Amino acid sequence: MSERNLTLLTDLYELTMMQGYFKEKDANETVIFDAFYRNNPMNGGYAICAGLDQAIDYIKNLHFDEDDIDYLRTTGLFEEDFLDYLRNFHFSGDIYAIPEGTVVFPREPLVKVIAPIMEAQLVETALLNIINHQSLIATKAARVVYAAKGDGVMEFGLRRAQGPDAGIYGARAAMIAGCIGTSNVLCGKMFDVPVKGTHAHSWIMSFPDELTAFRTYAKLYPTACILLVDTYDTLNSGIPNAIKVFQEMKEAGIPLTFYGIRLDSGDLAYLSKKAKKMLDEAGFPDAIISASNDLDETLISSLKLQGATINSWGVGTNLITSKDCPSFGGVYKLAAVLDKNTGKFTPKIKLSENAEKITNPGNKTIQRIYDKNTGKIIADLICLVDEKYDSSKSLLLFDPIETWKKTHLAPGSYTMRELMVPVFQGGKCVYETPKVMDIRDYCKQEMATLWEESLRLEFPHRVHVDLSNELWHMKNQLLDSYHYNR
């Protein structure tokens, strides 16, 4: 993939704050910022983390070209000594993150940046832009794949995406979350993922008749022969003509390895059941019945309940745009400042009249707790990085708000895994991104760790995200001191 300098992909106030820190020589302290989200998209029970690979590319290529500096000079906001500093700017800090494809929950850091505040501030906007978008589309795709109950789901929303990048990286995110292929050829080239597709109605309309169009397509693509049957009349023309072509292929000794029909309009439940009956009676019980037409997880689930015989789904607009939930809502908040005298981080907290917006302070990581017998997630525990846990000992979890709600885990009944991994150390990338199809396999394993109740499309069970005892006390001490000082 070609390198892209996205350094100016930032909000102006990040740069004006940078200049302010630059002018105040003692202000460029080392800090910790957390990127997290507050609520699961689509009122679901989870999210899928995605976008880390592009975030890594962004950090690697972070620099100010001379024309960037010339442009900033034209704004009249920046002084020459600061612009001169930008000429040699590079990221020198540490970044920790949750790997792509991981199931995640509200309020836990997806990305943690430890760097001088000038650097940490600059990267905020682009990191949120990248992680928010791809995590949103991955989450949407995971819900669609879940609704399909093992049927193949193809992503083909490029023409409806909000621009080329949204189409490319949205398709990548959809592949991570379990789609079997994308119609996006550039995505296929860039990330080595399967590309799939059939043909348009215009193919049929460009021939003298439907049968000729089908025959021509089958001759060209005998091993990938999915015929679009609703251009004129699905039941009286499209399906009978498709069956005729399949019979001709069979009689000619052409193996029917991957063949079937696609429905793109009408009552998909009714038409698919009629199509299945016609195909079975003609001797083609293994023919694929594919469907498209403004599908999403809700409609796919409904069609399943109606007994639709569709076994392949093409999902475009509603997936690539996450139409019912167009934003992920990730935020980037200061969590700690390094004390130069002690060499330790001083925790910082953001308060709000809205309790949901009160942040978790300190240098944190996440421990995921699994039921040892089932491998399912019991809870996530946000804790301080220097805390140690031993699953051979009992563990007490409690709700950080309604603290009387407690869960006691007996020794040996659970296992734990730290979710965050080092990505940059001292400005150098120390993480190798897996191939997209490998991330897809990992994401499938991650989805299997969720209880069925958390996978429900509506009113899912919420996985508990608790605070460690030490972090909870730190947070409440800061809250108490703030109210006392005020």
Side-chain angles (χ1 to χ4, degrees), residues 234-235 239 263 265-276:
T234 301
L235 296 179
I239 296 173
L263 303 167
S265 61
D267 186 325
L268 296 179
Y270 171 78
L271 291 174
S272 69
K273 286 184 274 190
K274 286 288 187 179
K276 177 63 174 171

Side-chain angles (χ1 to χ4, degrees), residues 18-208:
M18 278 184 73
Q19 179 169 247
Y21 296 131
F22 176 81
K23 292 293 185 180
E24 299 294 325
K25 298 301 182 183
D26 294 332
N28 192 28
E29 301 168 295
T30 296
V31 297
I32 298 176
F33 274 90
D34 294 331
F36 61 94
Y37 71 101
R38 296 189 178 105
N39 296 291
N40 287 323
M42 305 125 211
N43 294 314
Y46 62 92
I48 301 294
C49 189
L52 181 58
D53 184 50
Q54 192 188 9
I56 290 171
D57 285 341
Y58 159 71
I59 296 293
K60 283 181 175 179
N61 293 295
L62 198 62
H63 69 279
F64 290 85
D65 291 327
E66 200 60 38
D67 61 340
D68 295 334
I69 294 170
D70 290 342
Y71 167 72
L72 292 176
R73 184 180 291 112
T74 68
T75 67
L77 294 171
F78 304 103
E79 299 182 16
E80 285 301 320
D81 56 348
F82 176 65
L83 294 175
D84 189 56
Y85 158 78
L86 293 182
R87 285 188 173 89
N88 297 311
F89 178 88
H90 66 279
F91 183 79
S92 66
D94 302 340
I95 294 179
Y96 295 81
I98 297 177
E100 292 185 277
T102 304
V103 167
V104 290
F105 306 107
R107 307 194 68 78
E108 50 196 31
L110 308 184
V111 177
K112 178 174 69 175
V113 176
I114 307 175
I117 195 166
M118 292 171 67
E119 300 174 26
Q121 201 76 73
L122 176 64
V123 303
E124 171 183 3
T125 303
L127 286 181
L128 287 177
N129 174 275
I130 293 166
I131 300 297
N132 278 343
H133 172 248
Q134 294 189 48
S135 298
L136 176 71
I137 304 306
T139 305
K140 184 66 171 179
R143 290 168 58 85
V144 172
V145 169
Y146 171 76
K149 300 296 183 186
D151 297 340
V153 175
M154 186 182 80
E155 183 283 319
F156 71 127
L158 178 58
R159 62 189 63 189
R160 303 284 178 80
Q162 278 94 346
D165 275 5
I168 294 166
Y169 293 102
R172 178 185 183 276
M175 290 300 304
I176 285 173
C179 288
I180 62 169
T182 175
S183 67
N184 187 330
V185 179
L186 183 54
C187 178
K189 176 188 175 185
M190 289 172 64
F191 303 114
D192 192 25
V193 298
V195 290
K196 296 180 180 293
T198 56
H199 58 79
H201 293 101
S202 58
W203 171 269
I204 308 298
M205 296 162 64
S206 67
F207 285 85

Side-chain angles (χ1 to χ4, degrees), residues 137 197 206 237 287 299 357 385 393 430:
I137 304 306
S206 67
S237 173
L299 182 51
K357 292 191 173 183
V385 292
K393 298 179 180 179
V430 296

Side-chain angles (χ1 to χ4, degrees), residues 37 104 126 135 151 164 193 220 261 275 281 331 406 435 485:
Y37 71 101
V104 290
S135 298
D151 297 340
V193 298
L220 287 168
I261 64 170
E281 290 176 350
V331 296
K406 295 180 172 68
K435 293 181 178 180
N485 291 332

Side-chain angles (χ1 to χ4, degrees), residues 367 381-389 468-471:
Q367 293 283 350
L381 186 68
I382 305 176
C383 56
L384 301 175
V385 292
D386 55 358
E387 293 188 66
K388 304 297 181 184
Y389 293 91
S468 70
N469 188 58
E470 189 172 339
L471 177 55

